[in-house]
């Protein structure tokens, strides 16, 4: 595996600038429109990306400090959830918002 590096994301949702915060927009986006997620990733020999941690472990949304690890801990306790990830994404009114992702167990068919 290669050394950890920033994992950058691009999506039409992420291309909107921060509301009235041009300095934050400039800091969080690359010049060519990629959103810098703050996740640290590695690429293995087969080209798969593995998220290994975060550069920043705090999402500030509307003045509230949200710690993704705490939210992930709650999501992970839900039956059928194998693992989860919560990331901060730009929000036009709150600066950032949380976006949760989860991987669930495969369902088995009963016969």
């Amino acid at each position: 595996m290669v050394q950890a590096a920033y994992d950058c994301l691009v999506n039409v949702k992420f291309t909107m600038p921060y509301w009235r915060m041009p300095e934050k927009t400039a800091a969080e986006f690359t010049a060519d429109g990629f959103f810098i997620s703050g996740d640290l990733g590695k690429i293995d020999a087969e080209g798969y990306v593995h998220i290994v941690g975060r550069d920043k472990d705090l999402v500030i949304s509307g003045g509230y400090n949200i710690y993704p690890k705490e939210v992930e801990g709650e999501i992970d306790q839900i039956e059928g959830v194998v693992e989860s990830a919560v990331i901060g994404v730009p929000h036009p009114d709150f600066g950032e918002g949380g976006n949760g992702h989860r991987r669930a167990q495969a369902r088995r068919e009963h016969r």
Side-chain angles (χ1 to χ4, degrees), residues 13 22 30 44 83 94:
K13 289 194 319 189
T30 64
D44 66 20
E83 63 184 338
F94 299 116

Side-chain angles (χ1 to χ4, degrees), residues 6-85:
Y6 286 110
D7 182 22
C8 297
L9 305 175
V10 65
N11 188 306
V12 288
K13 289 194 319 189
F14 296 148
T15 58
M16 303 244 340
Y18 283 96
W19 176 255
R20 297 183 181 173
M21 293 189 276
E23 320 79 35
K24 186 148 179 73
T25 299
E28 300 290 335
F29 289 82
T30 64
D32 55 354
F34 284 84
F35 174 66
I36 303 169
S37 69
D39 292 321
L40 299 175
K42 292 182 178 181
I43 301 173
D44 66 20
E46 296 176 4
Y48 289 97
V49 175
H50 302 268
I51 304 298
V52 297
R54 291 195 179 90
D55 184 42
K56 55 182 184 177
D57 278 331
L58 173 66
V59 174
I60 301 173
S61 182
Y64 290 96
N65 293 344
I66 301 167
Y67 295 92
K69 197 69 179 160
E70 292 178 6
V71 178
E72 292 165 357
E74 295 298 316
I75 294 171
D76 290 348
Q77 292 180 37
I78 297 171
E79 184 178 343
V81 173
V82 176
E83 63 184 338
S84 65

